[in-house]
């Protein structure tokens, strides 16, 4: 049976997606800095390291899909962000997705689906997170370019762009701010639905794009933001 490969498969959204797919009888492969015992296979690795990513995909005979969720963040403004932090965000968020697609490509089953993780941050600007905003815009460009390249094989490529999601990733981002607790208290009101997303809701959106229900959807960004952009 072929598997779905998920980068960031041990994180908040990724772990929920692994659990959801496994419960439905779909084998999964988790690729993350942390292990996930719930996945059928697990590779503990850095998604920006091409050597280990290539080796992780080498044993796979066929893949039923690829989801690139792995991401990181760094706090810093244009004038004070270190190149080390800038490069790390780009390496994980953009290079990591590109490497996963590159080395999964020859193993992806005809007619399957690739889903990349972008963010509403691709469409707005928040002081102090210039690298993250830039990386998520780049992911959308990568998705659009890749959708045309994979289309002759019937492989669809799309992206999901959440608003705020209540995960440890968000907790870590807020911890970098001097007023992080205050920002968290206001985060729900930033969405017209009055709350942050649950990771299950984003996993459901990814599962939709991977399913036959989205068989004519490619090159598209699915915004799952609880009306966040409506309030901007």
């Amino acid at each position: 049976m072929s598997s779905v490969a998920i980068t960031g498969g041990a994180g908040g959204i990724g772990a929920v997606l692994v659990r959801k797919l496994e419960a439905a009888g779909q084998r999964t492969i988790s690729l993350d800095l942390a292990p996930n015992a719930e996945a059928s296979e697990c590779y503990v690795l850095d998604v920006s390291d091409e050597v280990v990513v290539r080796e992780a995909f080498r044993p796979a005979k066929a893949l039923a899909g690829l989801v690139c969720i792995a991401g990181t963040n760094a706090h810093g403004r244009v004038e004070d962000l270190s190149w080390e932090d800038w490069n790390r965000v780009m390496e994980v968020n953009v290079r990591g997705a590109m490497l996963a697609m590159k080395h999964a490509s020859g193993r992806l089953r005809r007619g399957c689906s690739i889903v990349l993780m972008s963010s509403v941050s691709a469409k707005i600007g928040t002081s102090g997170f210039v690298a993250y905003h830039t990386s998520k815009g780049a992911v959308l460009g990568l998705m659009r370019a890749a959708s045309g390249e994979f289309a002759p094989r019937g492989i669809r490529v799309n992206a999901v762009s959440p608003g705020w999601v209540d995960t440890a990733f968000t907790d870590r981002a807020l911890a970098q701010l001097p007023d992080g607790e205050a920002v968290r208290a206001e985060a729900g009101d930033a969405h017209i639905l009055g709350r942050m997303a649950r990771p299950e809701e984003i996993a459901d959106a990814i599962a939709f794009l991977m399913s036959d229900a989205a068989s004519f959807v490619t090159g598209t960004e699915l915004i799952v933001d609880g009306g966040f952009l409506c309030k901007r």
Side-chain angles (χ1 to χ4, degrees):
M1 180 181 180
S2 56
S3 301
V4 172
I6 303 167
T7 75
I13 297 169
V16 169
L17 182 62
V18 165
R19 194 175 307 121
K20 179 182 181 68
L21 294 177
E22 291 280 347
Q26 172 65 64
R27 288 177 54 85
T28 61
I29 303 171
S30 172
L31 303 97
D32 200 313
L33 286 173
N36 183 350
E38 295 186 274
S40 300
E41 298 178 57
C42 176
Y43 293 91
V44 178
L45 52 74
D46 181 339
V47 296
S48 70
D49 185 330
E50 183 165 16
V51 173
V52 297
V53 170
R54 182 180 63 236
E55 290 305 307
F57 281 109
R58 193 184 298 278
K61 292 181 172 59
L63 291 174
L66 171 67
V67 183
C68 299
I69 301 175
T72 192
N73 204 341
H75 185 249
R77 295 163 59 88
V78 170
E79 64 266 27
D80 58 28
L81 181 69
S82 72
W83 283 118
E84 180 181 11
D85 286 344
W86 169 274
N87 289 336
R88 184 58 183 160
V89 172
M90 298 302 160
E91 286 169 359
V92 175
N93 296 4
V94 186
R95 175 182 166 88
M98 174 63 182
L99 288 177
M101 286 196 292
K102 176 180 180 179
H103 293 292
S105 176
R107 292 159 175 79
L108 286 167
R109 209 171 56 194
R110 183 175 185 85
C112 72
S113 178
I114 299 171
V115 180
L116 307 185
M117 182 61 66
S118 185
S119 168
V120 293
S121 292
K123 303 180 180 305
I124 64 171
T126 303
S127 178
F129 290 99
V130 61
Y132 187 75
H133 287 282
T134 304
S135 73
K136 291 305 182 179
V139 167
L140 291 180
L142 178 61
M143 175 272 291
R144 294 185 184 109
S147 66
E149 293 189 9
F150 281 95
R153 294 165 54 190
I155 296 173
R156 298 176 293 107
V157 186
N158 295 289
V160 171
S161 290
W164 288 73
V165 186
D166 194 5
T167 62
F169 183 91
T170 296
D171 293 340
R172 289 191 294 272
L174 291 173
Q176 298 181 66
L177 301 175
D179 57 346
E181 287 305 314
V183 174
R184 171 178 279 284
E186 297 170 358
D189 288 338
H191 309 74
I192 60 174
L193 291 183
R195 62 175 176 84
M196 285 194 254
R198 297 185 296 272
E200 291 82 3
E201 293 170 313
I202 309 305
D204 284 344
I206 295 170
F208 163 71
L209 288 175
M210 296 178 69
S211 74
D212 290 342
S215 60
F216 202 59
V217 181
T218 196
T220 291
E221 174 194 16
L222 177 57
I223 298 174
V224 189
D225 72 342
F228 178 90
L229 291 175
C230 288
K231 295 195 75 170
R232 302 294 292 188

